[in-house]
């Protein structure tokens, strides 16, 4: 199953991606995670990506497309994959389709999770995660049992630089300008499923499962 998971920051993509990953034996490819790891490792890619990420902008298409297309050629992606946070522009979607077509593959389903802006802002401002195992918490709705310490691995709880202040607003603007138009791309292909993300993640997951069962 070749899946694309889309939605504005804070809509719950990451939570649903974790659930899909636990239920289906396909690799989870998150471009945001790839860039964050590169930043943490201080690689050339990380240095390049950081400036864009810190200002809430998208990393240039040519960089992002190259990384994803290379990742999708690996053996573990041949029976399916879950793309999380990619594509984010129509150019990325077209390049993805071309890359997959070259090996006789295609995207089979695109799921978009949305939520009102005020909900996204509230969620993002409370979002924190473990520095080590990356488990996500929310300081308002789902805080760690002991402040600042991960329930799962005891790691340090941190806030993403780009979940702060003005960067959140910029990321939401960028989503509206550059990523929302992409919904039409998948709608026209008859691949798009739209879900309301302003609900409990278990209710959203029930809908995701209903969609994926069809494939
Ligand atoms: P995310 O964790 O998906 O919210 O991504 C964090 C940041 O990584 C974004 O705000 C962008 O700066 C960058 N990024 C992630 N995915 C992409 C993409 N498909 N295209 C361009 N930039 C991306």
């Amino acid at each position: 199953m070749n899946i694309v998971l889309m939605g504005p920051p804070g809509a719950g993509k990451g939570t649903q991606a974790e659930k899909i990953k636990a239920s289906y034996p396909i690799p989870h490819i998150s471009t945001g995670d790839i860039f964050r790891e590169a930043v943490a490792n201080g690689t050339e890619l990380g240095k390049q990506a950081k400036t864009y990420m810190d200002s809430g902008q998208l990393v240039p298409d040519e960089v992002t497309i190259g990384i994803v297309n290379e990742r999708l050629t690996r053996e573990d992606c041949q029976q399916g994959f879950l793309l999380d946070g990619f594509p984010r522009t129509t150019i990325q979607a077209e390049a993805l389709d071309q890359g997959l077509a070259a090996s006789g593959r295609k995207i089979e389903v695109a799921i978009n999770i949305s939520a009102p802006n005020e909900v996204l802002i509230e969620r993002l401002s409370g979002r924190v995660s473990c520095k080590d195992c990356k488990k996500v918490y929310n300081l308002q709705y789902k805080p760690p049992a002991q402040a600042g310490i991960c329930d799962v691995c005891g790691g340090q709880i941190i806030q993403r630089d780009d979940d702060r202040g003005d960067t959140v607003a910029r990321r939401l603007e960028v989503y509206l300008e550059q990523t929302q138009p992409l919904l039409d791309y998948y709608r026209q292909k008859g691949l798009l499923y739209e879900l309301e993300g302003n609900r409990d993640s278990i209710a959203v997951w029930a809908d995701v499962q209903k969609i994926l069962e069809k494939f």
Side-chain angles (χ1 to χ4, degrees):
M1 203 167 1
N2 301 336
I3 311 167
V4 160
L5 192 56
M6 297 188 298
K13 290 191 299 292
T15 304
Q16 297 304 320
E18 286 304 318
K19 292 180 188 294
I20 296 173
K21 198 168 102 177
S23 302
Y24 297 88
I26 52 175
H28 168 212
I29 302 164
S30 154
T31 39
D33 285 351
I34 293 173
F35 290 135
R36 275 184 290 279
E37 200 183 323
V39 171
N41 293 335
T43 64
E44 249 338 286
L45 170 68
K47 285 181 200 146
Q48 208 182 344
K50 191 171 177 358
T51 10
Y52 296 98
M53 294 169 85
D54 286 353
S55 60
Q57 305 286 343
L58 295 183
V59 177
D61 282 336
E62 58 276 19
V63 176
T64 315
I65 289 166
I67 290 168
V68 175
N69 272 346
E70 185 282 322
R71 180 69 187 83
L72 292 175
T73 60
R74 293 197 215 157
E75 186 52 39
D76 64 340
C77 294
Q78 303 313 308
Q79 300 311 316
F81 52 80
L82 167 64
L83 282 173
D84 166 6
F86 182 94
R88 262 170 148 108
T89 64
T90 306
I91 290 174
Q92 291 180 8
E94 287 165 354
L96 172 65
D97 283 351
Q98 279 165 19
L100 290 173
S103 54
R105 294 178 292 169
K106 58 181 170 59
I107 294 300
E108 289 158 298
V109 53
I111 299 176
N112 185 64
I113 307 174
S114 63
N117 257 12
E118 57 274 19
V119 173
L120 300 173
I121 291 168
E122 199 184 304
R123 282 184 184 174
L124 291 171
S125 59
R127 180 162 80 174
V128 290
S129 59
C130 173
K131 197 171 175 217
D132 300 328
C133 76
K134 317 287 181 225
K135 178 161 173 61
V136 177
Y137 298 88
N138 187 290
L139 293 176
Q140 276 96 52
Y141 322 113
K142 203 178 65 173
Q146 210 180 330
I149 297 174
C150 177
D151 296 350
V152 179
C153 74
Q156 187 194 351
I157 299 293
I158 53 165
Q159 185 182 37
R160 275 171 53 169
D161 288 345
D162 61 352
D163 278 349
R164 291 172 206 194
D166 288 353
T167 312
V168 165
R170 184 68 200 126
R171 286 166 67 208
L172 292 173
E173 273 169 30
V174 166
Y175 173 81
L176 274 182
E177 285 162 16
Q178 301 191 49
T179 308
Q180 188 137 295
L182 182 58
L183 298 185
D184 270 340
Y185 182 87
Y186 288 111
R187 198 176 284 123
Q188 278 161 16
K189 290 177 183 286
L191 300 179
L192 184 68
Y193 291 83
E194 296 184 82
L195 297 182
E196 172 56 57
N198 188 16
R199 297 180 286 164
D200 189 278
S201 64
I202 296 174
V204 179
W205 173 233
D207 286 352
V208 170
Q209 277 176 300
K210 275 187 219 143
I211 296 167
L212 297 183
E213 272 161 15
K214 297 181 192 161
F215 293 89

